[in-house]
Short mmCIF file of all heavy atoms in Angstrom, two decimals:
data_model
loop_
_atom_site.label_atom_id
_atom_site.label_comp_id
_atom_site.label_asym_id
_atom_site.label_seq_id
_atom_site.Cartn_x
_atom_site.Cartn_y
_atom_site.Cartn_z
N MET A 92 -31.04 -20.41 33.51
CA MET A 92 -30.26 -21.07 32.46
C MET A 92 -29.43 -22.22 33.19
O MET A 92 -28.83 -21.90 34.25
CB MET A 92 -29.15 -19.96 32.01
CG MET A 92 -27.88 -20.44 31.22
SD MET A 92 -28.44 -21.34 29.76
CE MET A 92 -29.12 -20.10 28.82
N ASP A 93 -29.44 -23.33 32.54
CA ASP A 93 -28.68 -24.47 33.04
C ASP A 93 -27.19 -24.31 32.59
O ASP A 93 -26.92 -24.34 31.39
CB ASP A 93 -29.41 -25.72 32.49
CG ASP A 93 -28.60 -26.96 32.96
OD1 ASP A 93 -27.56 -26.81 33.61
OD2 ASP A 93 -29.02 -28.13 32.74
N HIS A 94 -26.34 -24.29 33.44
CA HIS A 94 -24.87 -24.04 33.04
C HIS A 94 -24.03 -25.34 33.25
O HIS A 94 -22.89 -25.33 33.47
CB HIS A 94 -24.27 -22.94 33.78
CG HIS A 94 -24.47 -21.65 33.18
ND1 HIS A 94 -25.25 -20.57 33.77
CD2 HIS A 94 -24.25 -21.10 31.93
CE1 HIS A 94 -25.29 -19.58 33.00
NE2 HIS A 94 -24.85 -19.92 31.93
N ASN A 95 -24.77 -26.57 33.04
CA ASN A 95 -24.02 -27.77 32.98
C ASN A 95 -23.22 -27.88 31.64
O ASN A 95 -23.71 -27.56 30.70
CB ASN A 95 -24.89 -29.02 33.16
CG ASN A 95 -25.62 -29.05 34.46
OD1 ASN A 95 -24.93 -28.75 35.52
ND2 ASN A 95 -26.92 -29.46 34.48
N ALA A 96 -21.96 -28.32 31.74
CA ALA A 96 -21.19 -28.37 30.60
C ALA A 96 -21.61 -29.44 29.50
O ALA A 96 -22.03 -30.51 29.88
CB ALA A 96 -19.74 -28.95 30.85
N ASN A 97 -21.82 -29.06 28.29
CA ASN A 97 -22.01 -30.08 27.26
C ASN A 97 -20.71 -30.40 26.69
O ASN A 97 -20.04 -29.78 25.91
CB ASN A 97 -22.91 -29.28 26.14
CG ASN A 97 -23.23 -30.25 24.93
OD1 ASN A 97 -22.60 -31.33 24.87
ND2 ASN A 97 -24.20 -29.98 24.16
N LYS A 98 -20.34 -31.73 27.03
CA LYS A 98 -18.95 -32.14 26.60
C LYS A 98 -18.87 -32.33 25.13
O LYS A 98 -17.78 -32.64 24.64
CB LYS A 98 -18.76 -33.56 27.33
CG LYS A 98 -18.58 -33.29 28.88
CD LYS A 98 -17.31 -32.43 29.24
CE LYS A 98 -17.33 -32.40 30.73
NZ LYS A 98 -17.16 -33.46 31.55
N SER A 99 -19.87 -32.16 24.35
CA SER A 99 -19.89 -32.23 22.88
C SER A 99 -19.49 -30.89 22.20
O SER A 99 -19.10 -30.84 21.07
CB SER A 99 -21.02 -32.77 22.28
OG SER A 99 -21.34 -34.10 22.71
N ILE A 100 -19.52 -29.85 23.17
CA ILE A 100 -19.28 -28.49 22.56
C ILE A 100 -18.23 -27.85 23.35
O ILE A 100 -18.55 -27.27 24.38
CB ILE A 100 -20.65 -27.62 22.43
CG1 ILE A 100 -21.64 -28.41 21.80
CG2 ILE A 100 -20.24 -26.28 21.84
CD1 ILE A 100 -23.00 -27.57 21.79
N LYS A 101 -17.01 -27.88 22.95
CA LYS A 101 -15.88 -27.13 23.64
C LYS A 101 -15.86 -25.62 23.17
O LYS A 101 -16.16 -25.41 22.12
CB LYS A 101 -14.56 -27.83 23.20
CG LYS A 101 -14.32 -29.21 23.63
CD LYS A 101 -12.87 -29.69 23.17
CE LYS A 101 -12.67 -31.03 23.79
NZ LYS A 101 -11.30 -31.44 23.29
N CYS A 102 -15.74 -24.87 24.28
CA CYS A 102 -15.64 -23.44 24.04
C CYS A 102 -14.99 -22.67 25.02
O CYS A 102 -15.02 -23.02 26.18
CB CYS A 102 -17.13 -22.88 23.88
SG CYS A 102 -17.32 -21.12 23.56
N THR A 103 -14.18 -21.68 24.62
CA THR A 103 -13.40 -20.88 25.62
C THR A 103 -13.91 -19.40 25.62
O THR A 103 -13.24 -18.50 26.30
CB THR A 103 -11.95 -20.83 25.21
OG1 THR A 103 -11.87 -20.31 23.83
CG2 THR A 103 -11.37 -22.20 25.12
N VAL A 104 -15.08 -19.10 25.16
CA VAL A 104 -15.49 -17.74 25.19
C VAL A 104 -16.31 -17.50 26.52
O VAL A 104 -17.47 -17.72 26.66
CB VAL A 104 -16.47 -17.41 23.94
CG1 VAL A 104 -16.93 -16.01 23.85
CG2 VAL A 104 -15.80 -17.86 22.66
N GLU A 105 -15.50 -17.06 27.39
CA GLU A 105 -16.16 -16.80 28.80
C GLU A 105 -16.96 -15.67 28.86
O GLU A 105 -17.75 -15.57 29.92
CB GLU A 105 -14.92 -16.68 29.83
CG GLU A 105 -14.12 -18.14 29.99
CD GLU A 105 -12.91 -17.89 30.89
OE1 GLU A 105 -12.69 -16.82 31.37
OE2 GLU A 105 -12.25 -18.90 31.13
N GLN A 106 -16.86 -14.95 27.85
CA GLN A 106 -17.80 -13.58 27.79
C GLN A 106 -19.21 -13.85 27.39
O GLN A 106 -20.00 -13.04 27.52
CB GLN A 106 -17.10 -12.59 27.01
CG GLN A 106 -15.87 -12.01 27.40
CD GLN A 106 -14.66 -12.90 27.06
OE1 GLN A 106 -14.77 -13.88 26.31
NE2 GLN A 106 -13.62 -12.38 27.43
N CYS A 107 -19.42 -15.23 27.01
CA CYS A 107 -20.67 -15.58 26.56
C CYS A 107 -21.59 -16.08 27.73
O CYS A 107 -21.10 -16.92 28.52
CB CYS A 107 -20.66 -16.70 25.49
SG CYS A 107 -22.29 -17.26 24.85
N ARG A 108 -22.89 -15.62 27.78
CA ARG A 108 -23.69 -15.99 28.92
C ARG A 108 -24.05 -17.53 28.86
O ARG A 108 -24.63 -18.05 29.90
CB ARG A 108 -24.95 -15.23 28.95
CG ARG A 108 -25.95 -15.47 27.93
CD ARG A 108 -27.10 -14.55 27.96
NE ARG A 108 -27.94 -14.57 29.15
CZ ARG A 108 -28.90 -15.35 29.37
NH1 ARG A 108 -29.52 -16.05 28.20
NH2 ARG A 108 -29.62 -15.43 30.44
N ASN A 109 -23.85 -18.14 27.78
CA ASN A 109 -23.97 -19.60 27.61
C ASN A 109 -22.88 -20.42 27.79
O ASN A 109 -22.97 -21.73 27.90
CB ASN A 109 -24.52 -19.92 26.16
CG ASN A 109 -25.81 -19.23 25.78
OD1 ASN A 109 -26.79 -19.10 26.58
ND2 ASN A 109 -25.97 -18.61 24.63
N HIS A 110 -21.79 -19.83 28.25
CA HIS A 110 -20.55 -20.61 28.57
C HIS A 110 -20.71 -21.32 29.98
O HIS A 110 -21.29 -20.80 30.87
CB HIS A 110 -19.47 -19.62 28.62
CG HIS A 110 -18.04 -20.34 28.74
ND1 HIS A 110 -17.30 -20.47 29.97
CD2 HIS A 110 -17.30 -20.87 27.86
CE1 HIS A 110 -16.11 -21.16 29.71
NE2 HIS A 110 -16.16 -21.42 28.43
N CYS A 111 -20.26 -22.50 30.06
CA CYS A 111 -20.15 -23.28 31.22
C CYS A 111 -19.18 -22.55 32.26
O CYS A 111 -17.99 -22.35 31.83
CB CYS A 111 -19.70 -24.73 31.15
SG CYS A 111 -19.34 -25.63 32.59
N ASP A 112 -19.59 -22.22 33.34
CA ASP A 112 -18.83 -21.32 34.16
C ASP A 112 -17.51 -22.03 34.67
O ASP A 112 -16.43 -21.32 34.92
CB ASP A 112 -19.59 -20.94 35.36
CG ASP A 112 -20.73 -19.91 35.15
OD1 ASP A 112 -20.52 -19.26 34.05
OD2 ASP A 112 -21.68 -20.08 35.62
N SER A 113 -17.63 -23.36 34.82
CA SER A 113 -16.44 -24.07 35.58
C SER A 113 -15.51 -24.76 34.64
O SER A 113 -14.42 -25.33 35.18
CB SER A 113 -17.03 -25.03 36.53
OG SER A 113 -17.90 -25.92 35.93
N ALA A 114 -15.78 -24.87 33.43
CA ALA A 114 -14.94 -25.48 32.48
C ALA A 114 -15.06 -24.95 31.08
O ALA A 114 -16.05 -24.22 30.88
CB ALA A 114 -15.22 -27.03 32.36
N ASN A 115 -14.18 -25.28 30.19
CA ASN A 115 -14.25 -24.74 28.84
C ASN A 115 -15.15 -25.45 27.82
O ASN A 115 -14.76 -26.10 26.91
CB ASN A 115 -12.80 -24.77 28.13
CG ASN A 115 -12.01 -23.57 28.79
OD1 ASN A 115 -12.46 -22.47 29.08
ND2 ASN A 115 -10.67 -23.71 28.85
N TYR A 116 -16.49 -25.33 28.26
CA TYR A 116 -17.49 -25.94 27.38
C TYR A 116 -18.65 -25.03 27.24
O TYR A 116 -18.88 -24.18 28.17
CB TYR A 116 -18.07 -27.29 28.01
CG TYR A 116 -17.02 -28.32 28.05
CD1 TYR A 116 -16.22 -28.60 29.21
CD2 TYR A 116 -16.82 -29.21 26.90
CE1 TYR A 116 -15.31 -29.61 29.14
CE2 TYR A 116 -15.89 -30.20 26.83
CZ TYR A 116 -15.09 -30.49 28.00
OH TYR A 116 -14.15 -31.35 27.97
N CYS A 117 -19.45 -25.30 26.18
CA CYS A 117 -20.77 -24.51 26.14
C CYS A 117 -21.86 -25.34 27.07
O CYS A 117 -21.72 -26.51 27.39
CB CYS A 117 -21.23 -24.58 24.75
SG CYS A 117 -22.72 -23.60 24.46
N ALA A 118 -22.78 -24.47 27.59
CA ALA A 118 -23.78 -25.19 28.32
C ALA A 118 -25.10 -25.46 27.60
O ALA A 118 -25.98 -26.13 28.11
CB ALA A 118 -24.10 -24.30 29.44
N LEU A 119 -25.14 -25.04 26.37
CA LEU A 119 -26.36 -25.28 25.62
C LEU A 119 -26.42 -26.75 25.03
O LEU A 119 -25.33 -27.40 24.96
CB LEU A 119 -26.40 -24.35 24.40
CG LEU A 119 -26.56 -22.73 24.66
CD1 LEU A 119 -26.52 -22.00 23.34
CD2 LEU A 119 -27.73 -22.45 25.49
N SER A 120 -27.59 -27.16 24.85
CA SER A 120 -27.77 -28.58 24.30
C SER A 120 -27.38 -28.59 22.81
O SER A 120 -26.98 -29.66 22.23
CB SER A 120 -29.08 -29.12 24.49
OG SER A 120 -30.05 -28.22 23.85
N GLU A 121 -27.48 -27.52 22.06
CA GLU A 121 -27.10 -27.35 20.66
C GLU A 121 -26.78 -25.91 20.44
O GLU A 121 -27.25 -25.05 21.18
CB GLU A 121 -28.16 -27.85 19.82
CG GLU A 121 -29.54 -27.07 19.82
CD GLU A 121 -30.62 -27.59 18.93
OE1 GLU A 121 -30.56 -28.60 18.36
OE2 GLU A 121 -31.54 -26.81 18.66
N ILE A 122 -25.90 -25.72 19.33
CA ILE A 122 -25.63 -24.31 19.02
C ILE A 122 -25.88 -24.09 17.51
O ILE A 122 -25.96 -25.23 16.74
CB ILE A 122 -24.18 -23.89 19.44
CG1 ILE A 122 -23.15 -24.75 18.75
CG2 ILE A 122 -24.04 -23.90 20.86
CD1 ILE A 122 -21.59 -24.31 18.73
N HIS A 123 -25.86 -22.96 17.07
CA HIS A 123 -25.98 -22.63 15.65
C HIS A 123 -24.75 -21.89 15.13
O HIS A 123 -24.33 -20.91 15.64
CB HIS A 123 -27.19 -21.61 15.47
CG HIS A 123 -27.40 -21.15 14.00
ND1 HIS A 123 -27.99 -20.08 13.73
CD2 HIS A 123 -26.94 -21.74 12.87
CE1 HIS A 123 -27.91 -19.77 12.47
NE2 HIS A 123 -27.36 -20.94 11.84
N VAL A 124 -24.03 -22.50 14.20
CA VAL A 124 -22.81 -21.89 13.65
C VAL A 124 -23.11 -21.47 12.30
O VAL A 124 -23.92 -22.08 11.52
CB VAL A 124 -21.72 -23.07 13.61
CG1 VAL A 124 -20.41 -22.61 12.85
CG2 VAL A 124 -21.29 -23.51 14.98
N GLY A 125 -22.64 -20.29 11.94
CA GLY A 125 -22.84 -19.69 10.65
C GLY A 125 -21.67 -19.03 10.17
O GLY A 125 -20.63 -19.03 10.75
N THR A 126 -21.81 -18.21 9.10
CA THR A 126 -20.67 -17.37 8.67
C THR A 126 -21.11 -15.96 8.19
O THR A 126 -22.33 -15.87 7.77
CB THR A 126 -20.09 -18.03 7.33
OG1 THR A 126 -18.92 -17.22 6.92
CG2 THR A 126 -20.91 -18.23 6.17
N HIS A 127 -20.21 -14.94 8.31
CA HIS A 127 -20.58 -13.58 7.80
C HIS A 127 -19.93 -13.33 6.55
O HIS A 127 -19.88 -12.18 6.17
CB HIS A 127 -20.05 -12.63 9.00
CG HIS A 127 -18.62 -12.85 9.35
ND1 HIS A 127 -18.24 -13.71 10.23
CD2 HIS A 127 -17.60 -12.27 8.89
CE1 HIS A 127 -16.82 -13.74 10.40
NE2 HIS A 127 -16.42 -12.83 9.43
N GLU A 128 -19.37 -14.32 5.92
CA GLU A 128 -18.54 -14.09 4.66
C GLU A 128 -19.39 -14.76 3.52
O GLU A 128 -20.03 -15.89 3.77
CB GLU A 128 -17.14 -14.89 4.81
CG GLU A 128 -16.27 -14.45 5.85
CD GLU A 128 -15.61 -13.10 5.58
OE1 GLU A 128 -15.57 -12.64 4.46
OE2 GLU A 128 -14.96 -12.48 6.53
N PRO A 129 -19.31 -14.28 2.33
CA PRO A 129 -19.89 -14.93 1.20
C PRO A 129 -19.30 -16.13 0.75
O PRO A 129 -19.96 -17.10 0.39
CB PRO A 129 -19.76 -13.90 0.04
CG PRO A 129 -18.79 -12.87 0.43
CD PRO A 129 -18.70 -12.94 1.96
N ASN A 130 -17.88 -16.25 0.95
CA ASN A 130 -17.11 -17.48 0.65
C ASN A 130 -16.20 -17.73 1.71
O ASN A 130 -15.02 -17.43 1.67
CB ASN A 130 -16.42 -17.40 -0.75
CG ASN A 130 -17.39 -17.31 -1.87
OD1 ASN A 130 -18.10 -18.13 -2.00
ND2 ASN A 130 -17.35 -16.11 -2.55
N PRO A 131 -16.46 -18.40 2.80
CA PRO A 131 -15.60 -18.61 4.02
C PRO A 131 -14.54 -19.54 3.51
O PRO A 131 -14.63 -20.64 2.88
CB PRO A 131 -16.56 -19.23 5.03
CG PRO A 131 -17.67 -19.81 4.28
CD PRO A 131 -17.86 -18.92 3.09
N THR A 132 -13.24 -19.10 4.06
CA THR A 132 -11.93 -19.80 3.60
C THR A 132 -11.15 -20.15 4.85
O THR A 132 -10.10 -20.81 4.66
CB THR A 132 -11.13 -19.06 2.63
OG1 THR A 132 -10.80 -17.67 3.33
CG2 THR A 132 -11.91 -18.89 1.23
N GLU A 133 -11.40 -19.54 6.08
CA GLU A 133 -10.70 -19.58 7.23
C GLU A 133 -11.40 -19.84 8.47
O GLU A 133 -12.62 -19.52 8.45
CB GLU A 133 -9.71 -18.40 7.36
CG GLU A 133 -8.69 -18.20 6.18
CD GLU A 133 -7.90 -16.99 6.51
OE1 GLU A 133 -8.32 -15.92 6.15
OE2 GLU A 133 -6.75 -17.14 7.14
N THR A 134 -10.80 -20.23 9.72
CA THR A 134 -11.52 -20.47 10.75
C THR A 134 -12.27 -19.14 11.29
O THR A 134 -13.46 -19.31 11.73
CB THR A 134 -10.54 -20.94 11.88
OG1 THR A 134 -9.87 -22.08 11.44
CG2 THR A 134 -11.29 -21.14 13.16
N GLN A 135 -11.51 -18.03 11.01
CA GLN A 135 -12.21 -16.83 11.57
C GLN A 135 -13.34 -16.22 10.60
O GLN A 135 -13.88 -15.26 11.05
CB GLN A 135 -11.05 -15.88 11.67
CG GLN A 135 -10.29 -15.45 10.48
CD GLN A 135 -8.90 -16.27 10.50
OE1 GLN A 135 -8.81 -17.47 10.76
NE2 GLN A 135 -7.88 -15.61 10.15
N CYS A 136 -13.64 -17.01 9.58
CA CYS A 136 -14.81 -16.59 8.83
C CYS A 136 -16.18 -17.07 9.36
O CYS A 136 -17.15 -16.75 8.90
CB CYS A 136 -14.59 -17.22 7.42
SG CYS A 136 -13.19 -16.46 6.48
N VAL A 137 -16.04 -18.10 10.23
CA VAL A 137 -17.28 -18.60 10.83
C VAL A 137 -17.49 -18.24 12.40
O VAL A 137 -16.56 -17.84 13.07
CB VAL A 137 -17.28 -20.14 10.72
CG1 VAL A 137 -17.09 -20.61 9.38
CG2 VAL A 137 -16.16 -20.78 11.51
N ASP A 138 -18.73 -18.19 12.64
CA ASP A 138 -19.22 -17.71 13.97
C ASP A 138 -20.10 -18.62 14.76
O ASP A 138 -20.95 -19.36 14.09
CB ASP A 138 -20.01 -16.35 13.74
CG ASP A 138 -19.22 -15.45 12.79
OD1 ASP A 138 -18.32 -14.99 13.22
OD2 ASP A 138 -19.77 -15.32 11.59
N CYS A 139 -20.05 -18.55 16.03
CA CYS A 139 -21.02 -19.14 16.80
C CYS A 139 -22.20 -18.13 16.97
O CYS A 139 -22.17 -17.11 17.61
CB CYS A 139 -20.63 -19.50 18.30
SG CYS A 139 -22.01 -20.20 19.19
N ASN A 140 -23.34 -18.42 16.20
CA ASN A 140 -24.43 -17.53 16.22
C ASN A 140 -25.42 -17.68 17.55
O ASN A 140 -26.42 -16.91 17.58
CB ASN A 140 -25.21 -17.70 15.04
CG ASN A 140 -24.70 -17.16 13.78
OD1 ASN A 140 -23.83 -16.16 13.84
ND2 ASN A 140 -24.79 -17.70 12.58
N SER A 141 -24.93 -18.57 18.39
CA SER A 141 -25.68 -18.67 19.56
C SER A 141 -25.08 -17.89 20.66
O SER A 141 -25.55 -17.84 21.83
CB SER A 141 -25.81 -20.19 20.10
OG SER A 141 -26.40 -20.96 19.03
N PHE A 142 -23.96 -17.09 20.36
CA PHE A 142 -23.29 -16.17 21.33
C PHE A 142 -24.36 -15.17 21.80
O PHE A 142 -25.07 -14.49 21.12
CB PHE A 142 -22.08 -15.47 20.65
CG PHE A 142 -21.47 -14.47 21.58
CD1 PHE A 142 -20.52 -14.89 22.59
CD2 PHE A 142 -21.87 -13.10 21.47
CE1 PHE A 142 -20.01 -13.73 23.26
CE2 PHE A 142 -21.37 -12.15 22.23
CZ PHE A 142 -20.30 -12.48 23.25
N GLU A 143 -24.36 -14.99 23.22
CA GLU A 143 -25.09 -13.87 23.86
C GLU A 143 -24.18 -13.30 24.68
O GLU A 143 -23.51 -13.99 25.59
CB GLU A 143 -26.35 -14.32 24.42
CG GLU A 143 -27.32 -14.98 23.51
CD GLU A 143 -28.64 -15.35 24.37
OE1 GLU A 143 -29.45 -14.47 24.63
OE2 GLU A 143 -28.49 -16.57 24.77
N VAL A 144 -23.87 -11.88 24.86
CA VAL A 144 -22.99 -11.36 25.72
C VAL A 144 -23.40 -11.46 27.20
O VAL A 144 -24.70 -11.35 27.50
CB VAL A 144 -22.77 -9.84 25.29
CG1 VAL A 144 -23.97 -9.02 25.58
CG2 VAL A 144 -21.53 -9.34 26.00
N ARG A 145 -22.57 -11.77 27.98
CA ARG A 145 -22.73 -11.90 29.44
C ARG A 145 -22.86 -10.53 30.09
O ARG A 145 -22.09 -9.59 29.71
CB ARG A 145 -21.65 -12.69 30.06
CG ARG A 145 -21.79 -12.98 31.63
CD ARG A 145 -20.54 -13.42 32.12
NE ARG A 145 -20.20 -14.76 31.70
CZ ARG A 145 -20.54 -15.99 32.23
NH1 ARG A 145 -21.27 -15.84 33.32
NH2 ARG A 145 -20.21 -17.05 31.68
N HIS A 146 -24.00 -10.29 30.94
CA HIS A 146 -24.22 -9.07 31.48
C HIS A 146 -23.80 -9.09 32.97
O HIS A 146 -23.85 -10.10 33.58
CB HIS A 146 -25.67 -8.55 31.28
CG HIS A 146 -25.94 -8.26 29.89
ND1 HIS A 146 -25.47 -7.13 29.13
CD2 HIS A 146 -26.78 -8.83 29.02
CE1 HIS A 146 -25.88 -7.15 27.98
NE2 HIS A 146 -26.64 -8.20 27.79
S1 LIG S 425 -23.26 -20.16 22.66
FE1 LIG S 425 -21.31 -20.29 21.40
S2 LIG S 425 -19.91 -18.81 22.16
FE2 LIG S 425 -21.51 -19.10 23.69
S3 LIG S 425 -20.59 -20.63 25.06
FE3 LIG S 425 -21.84 -21.74 23.55
S4 LIG S 425 -20.32 -22.30 21.96
FE4 LIG S 425 -19.39 -20.68 23.10
#
């Protein structure tokens, strides 16, 4: 896994294995964002579906 920061994707989820270790960025070249709600209305209705838990 390449953990170079992608300066286009800010992220603070340090528990994700795709997180840049040294700064608050994602290390992926692209991510997939989705929703778990039928009609999303707030920030917390949407998700980073590229999240993978860090082991
Ligand atoms: S995959 Fe999503 S949750 Fe994980 S570091 Fe990247 S933006 Fe953050």
Side-chain angles (χ1 to χ4, degrees):
M92 170 58 65
D93 180 357
H94 277 118
N95 292 326
N97 181 343
K98 295 292 178 62
S99 296
I100 308 176
K101 293 182 181 179
C102 181
T103 58
V104 185
E105 295 178 355
Q106 295 82 1
C107 179
R108 71 185 298 267
N109 299 319
H110 190 260
C111 170
D112 294 327
S113 56
N115 283 331
Y116 293 100
C117 183
L119 297 179
S120 58
E121 61 179 19
I122 61 168
H123 175 209
V124 176
T126 181
H127 54 273
E128 302 279 351
N130 293 298
T132 56
E133 300 178 272
T134 305
Q135 55 263 45
C136 297
V137 300
D138 310 290
C139 178
N140 287 329
S141 300
F142 172 86
E143 296 179 87
V144 69
R145 183 188 293 271
H146 291 293

